[in-house]
Amino acid sequence: MKTKFLWMAWGIGTFALAGVGLARIYVTGDRTDLLPGQTAGVHHQIELACETCHTSKPFAGQKKIRKDINKTCVNCHKDELKASDDSHPIKKFKPPRMAAYWDEIDARFCTSCHSEHRPEITSAGLVTQPGDFCVACHSEGDQDVRVNRESHEGLGFETCATAGCHNFHDNRALYEDFLVKHSDQPWLQEDPTHSIEAAAREKPRPEIADIEAYLAEVSAPVSARDQGVEAHWAGSAHALADVNCASCHAPKAETEEEVTAQWIEHPEEKVCASCHKDEAKTFALGRHGMRRHPEVSNPRPAKRMLKRLGWSDPSDGAIAFLEAYLVDPTPAPLMSTAEARVPLLPDAHGEELTCSTCHDPHEQDLQFAAVGACLSCHADEHSQNFTQSPHFALWQRELAGDLPPGSGVTCATCHMPKTERRGVITTNHNQNDTLRPNEKMIRPTCLECHSLEFAIDALADPELVNRNFTGQPNRHIESLDWALKRVTQPTEGANQ
């Protein structure tokens, strides 16, 4: 009798635990303990929002699950892939003639090379293939690069992705035609200035007479008046664009009375985004703001999840029970430096990343935003060595008026490059857009001042990168030399 009772208790307990586990997986509840492995790279920011990547219905087949996961990869990274002029787009591998390669590495699917939750085999760029993965397609027949390219004879396939040689997706600065077109140039241009940066830094600022006029027109409740804040605002580009106090603190108000009644002491970021749409969009694509990405899933309402499982009309009691005992956590809406996986200064821990983390909305100190904001957080060698670098020295000389605008190089010049379209200059707030692989930085930034050969060599020298480019490269990448021997210099082309 005792044994029978124990078996019954064991069975009931097992079913109860299984029910709780299944409910947490398919209905609602904290699934942190159910993660199959450490989340790689920056994805740890959204690891609690499982449905961001896992969109398949419960009990879907493996083929359907794989297809759905790969669709979510493209949904989040489509802008980056489009901008990179993807060297290996998925469509290249879909024709039946490519079927012979599917058994080697099925490049129709992102997850063939980027498998999440596999920290033991994950390398830079969330790559989960061995370093010589190029051998799968480029080692046989007409595709054997060791035969059809004399320069590659004897090279191991583990060297293909060496810095300055090849990237799987983004080779905008490494195509042979581009290499040849930009050969035989001096390591430093005759007029080393960044043209778009120069245009941005030459934007007018209010004169003293303008500032006095703006201050006379300040529209804010008496309790919110602050002469210091108002003076800073009056000297900013916001004042020059007639963006006054009420524009942000009471955007729907039309009269003085409405301004006082609707005054918001600390406006939300959506107020900034209402004018700075491009900046807000690119911020959501980068590591600092990816939790704002429109594809990140929301918490799971218990009622909706029960319906997905086939319970068309769940009772209020069942919903209340699940919501009470299986609360679905969601990533905090803002990234905190406490969650960072990169070296940070002790004083930076616990800071949430918002627009005002780097930008004082009243003062608009672009010098702080371009350098100070970065160096107040990041403690890695590259960042902390910036103030001893030639780039910093040039920037200081520009600020002193000894060099023209655009001569100096800030953190933002390289990591948040500006673009110009129809006379409007915007800053890319996806701060890792040119970071990995770092050759992505060459076209929008490095070539403004340096030769292609120097840029490739410099970015391929990790010690020089750590010194923040103080000195000359100690290594030379031969890709440009090989291209000159193999290709006739083009006069025009899509990659010029």
Side-chain angles (χ1 to χ4, degrees), residues 377-388:
C377 280
H378 290 279
D380 59 279
E381 286 185 76
H382 175 79
S383 299
Q384 293 302 309
N385 283 332
F386 175 69
T387 54
Q388 286 81 48

PDB file of all heavy atoms in Angstrom, residues 377-388:
ATOM      1  N   CYS A 377      32.109  55.792 -20.352  1.00  0.00           N
ATOM      2  CA  CYS A 377      31.606  54.439 -20.129  1.00  0.00           C
ATOM      3  C   CYS A 377      32.654  53.370 -20.459  1.00  0.00           C
ATOM      4  O   CYS A 377      32.961  52.495 -19.646  1.00  0.00           O
ATOM      5  CB  CYS A 377      30.358  54.176 -20.969  1.00  0.00           C
ATOM      6  SG  CYS A 377      28.838  54.849 -20.289  1.00  0.00           S
ATOM      7  N   HIS A 378      33.206  53.426 -21.663  1.00  0.00           N
ATOM      8  CA  HIS A 378      34.021  52.322 -22.171  1.00  0.00           C
ATOM      9  C   HIS A 378      35.434  52.322 -21.601  1.00  0.00           C
ATOM     10  O   HIS A 378      36.130  53.349 -21.617  1.00  0.00           O
ATOM     11  CB  HIS A 378      34.065  52.386 -23.696  1.00  0.00           C
ATOM     12  CG  HIS A 378      32.751  52.048 -24.327  1.00  0.00           C
ATOM     13  ND1 HIS A 378      32.331  50.752 -24.507  1.00  0.00           N
ATOM     14  CD2 HIS A 378      31.748  52.835 -24.781  1.00  0.00           C
ATOM     15  CE1 HIS A 378      31.129  50.754 -25.066  1.00  0.00           C
ATOM     16  NE2 HIS A 378      30.747  52.010 -25.234  1.00  0.00           N
ATOM     17  N   ALA A 379      35.852  51.139 -21.119  1.00  0.00           N
ATOM     18  CA  ALA A 379      37.158  51.008 -20.463  1.00  0.00           C
ATOM     19  C   ALA A 379      38.124  50.123 -21.236  1.00  0.00           C
ATOM     20  O   ALA A 379      39.191  49.784 -20.716  1.00  0.00           O
ATOM     21  CB  ALA A 379      36.969  50.443 -19.055  1.00  0.00           C
ATOM     22  N   ASP A 380      37.789  49.748 -22.456  1.00  0.00           N
ATOM     23  CA  ASP A 380      38.691  48.920 -23.249  1.00  0.00           C
ATOM     24  C   ASP A 380      39.899  49.742 -23.681  1.00  0.00           C
ATOM     25  O   ASP A 380      39.877  50.977 -23.668  1.00  0.00           O
ATOM     26  CB  ASP A 380      37.962  48.366 -24.473  1.00  0.00           C
ATOM     27  CG  ASP A 380      37.410  49.477 -25.346  1.00  0.00           C
ATOM     28  OD1 ASP A 380      36.332  50.016 -25.015  1.00  0.00           O
ATOM     29  OD2 ASP A 380      38.067  49.842 -26.333  1.00  0.00           O
ATOM     30  N   GLU A 381      40.976  49.051 -24.087  1.00  0.00           N
ATOM     31  CA  GLU A 381      42.220  49.722 -24.458  1.00  0.00           C
ATOM     32  C   GLU A 381      42.018  50.724 -25.591  1.00  0.00           C
ATOM     33  O   GLU A 381      42.524  51.845 -25.539  1.00  0.00           O
ATOM     34  CB  GLU A 381      43.276  48.687 -24.879  1.00  0.00           C
ATOM     35  CG  GLU A 381      43.893  47.905 -23.750  1.00  0.00           C
ATOM     36  CD  GLU A 381      45.006  47.005 -24.269  1.00  0.00           C
ATOM     37  OE1 GLU A 381      46.105  47.531 -24.568  1.00  0.00           O
ATOM     38  OE2 GLU A 381      44.768  45.791 -24.402  1.00  0.00           O
ATOM     39  N   HIS A 382      41.306  50.311 -26.624  1.00  0.00           N
ATOM     40  CA  HIS A 382      41.105  51.166 -27.791  1.00  0.00           C
ATOM     41  C   HIS A 382      40.464  52.490 -27.380  1.00  0.00           C
ATOM     42  O   HIS A 382      40.928  53.568 -27.786  1.00  0.00           O
ATOM     43  CB  HIS A 382      40.232  50.440 -28.810  1.00  0.00           C
ATOM     44  CG  HIS A 382      39.862  51.270 -29.995  1.00  0.00           C
ATOM     45  ND1 HIS A 382      40.714  51.492 -31.053  1.00  0.00           N
ATOM     46  CD2 HIS A 382      38.709  51.940 -30.299  1.00  0.00           C
ATOM     47  CE1 HIS A 382      40.125  52.257 -31.950  1.00  0.00           C
ATOM     48  NE2 HIS A 382      38.899  52.547 -31.519  1.00  0.00           N
ATOM     49  N   SER A 383      39.416  52.432 -26.570  1.00  0.00           N
ATOM     50  CA  SER A 383      38.710  53.652 -26.168  1.00  0.00           C
ATOM     51  C   SER A 383      39.581  54.529 -25.284  1.00  0.00           C
ATOM     52  O   SER A 383      39.700  55.742 -25.509  1.00  0.00           O
ATOM     53  CB  SER A 383      37.414  53.287 -25.436  1.00  0.00           C
ATOM     54  OG  SER A 383      36.542  52.550 -26.277  1.00  0.00           O
ATOM     55  N   GLN A 384      40.185  53.944 -24.277  1.00  0.00           N
ATOM     56  CA  GLN A 384      40.940  54.734 -23.311  1.00  0.00           C
ATOM     57  C   GLN A 384      42.242  55.283 -23.882  1.00  0.00           C
ATOM     58  O   GLN A 384      42.819  56.214 -23.325  1.00  0.00           O
ATOM     59  CB  GLN A 384      41.202  53.903 -22.060  1.00  0.00           C
ATOM     60  CG  GLN A 384      39.946  53.582 -21.260  1.00  0.00           C
ATOM     61  CD  GLN A 384      39.208  54.837 -20.823  1.00  0.00           C
ATOM     62  OE1 GLN A 384      39.787  55.751 -20.242  1.00  0.00           O
ATOM     63  NE2 GLN A 384      37.904  54.903 -21.106  1.00  0.00           N
ATOM     64  N   ASN A 385      42.716  54.730 -24.989  1.00  0.00           N
ATOM     65  CA  ASN A 385      43.929  55.251 -25.628  1.00  0.00           C
ATOM     66  C   ASN A 385      43.629  56.374 -26.618  1.00  0.00           C
ATOM     67  O   ASN A 385      44.548  56.936 -27.207  1.00  0.00           O
ATOM     68  CB  ASN A 385      44.670  54.129 -26.362  1.00  0.00           C
ATOM     69  CG  ASN A 385      45.442  53.246 -25.405  1.00  0.00           C
ATOM     70  OD1 ASN A 385      45.870  53.686 -24.339  1.00  0.00           O
ATOM     71  ND2 ASN A 385      45.632  51.976 -25.766  1.00  0.00           N
ATOM     72  N   PHE A 386      42.356  56.692 -26.808  1.00  0.00           N
ATOM     73  CA  PHE A 386      42.005  57.696 -27.815  1.00  0.00           C
ATOM     74  C   PHE A 386      42.638  59.055 -27.528  1.00  0.00           C
ATOM     75  O   PHE A 386      43.114  59.741 -28.430  1.00  0.00           O
ATOM     76  CB  PHE A 386      40.484  57.843 -27.918  1.00  0.00           C
ATOM     77  CG  PHE A 386      40.048  58.937 -28.832  1.00  0.00           C
ATOM     78  CD1 PHE A 386      40.246  58.838 -30.207  1.00  0.00           C
ATOM     79  CD2 PHE A 386      39.466  60.100 -28.331  1.00  0.00           C
ATOM     80  CE1 PHE A 386      39.869  59.864 -31.064  1.00  0.00           C
ATOM     81  CE2 PHE A 386      39.072  61.125 -29.176  1.00  0.00           C
ATOM     82  CZ  PHE A 386      39.280  61.006 -30.542  1.00  0.00           C
ATOM     83  N   THR A 387      42.655  59.471 -26.274  1.00  0.00           N
ATOM     84  CA  THR A 387      43.159  60.811 -25.952  1.00  0.00           C
ATOM     85  C   THR A 387      44.660  60.948 -26.151  1.00  0.00           C
ATOM     86  O   THR A 387      45.188  62.062 -26.080  1.00  0.00           O
ATOM     87  CB  THR A 387      42.794  61.197 -24.506  1.00  0.00           C
ATOM     88  OG1 THR A 387      43.263  60.184 -23.611  1.00  0.00           O
ATOM     89  CG2 THR A 387      41.281  61.352 -24.359  1.00  0.00           C
ATOM     90  N   GLN A 388      45.354  59.831 -26.409  1.00  0.00           N
ATOM     91  CA  GLN A 388      46.789  59.896 -26.722  1.00  0.00           C
ATOM     92  C   GLN A 388      47.046  59.657 -28.202  1.00  0.00           C
ATOM     93  O   GLN A 388      48.187  59.526 -28.637  1.00  0.00           O
ATOM     94  CB  GLN A 388      47.573  58.849 -25.913  1.00  0.00           C
ATOM     95  CG  GLN A 388      47.749  59.170 -24.443  1.00  0.00           C
ATOM     96  CD  GLN A 388      46.531  58.815 -23.626  1.00  0.00           C
ATOM     97  OE1 GLN A 388      46.000  57.721 -23.755  1.00  0.00           O
ATOM     98  NE2 GLN A 388      46.080  59.734 -22.787  1.00  0.00           N
TER      99      GLN A 388
END
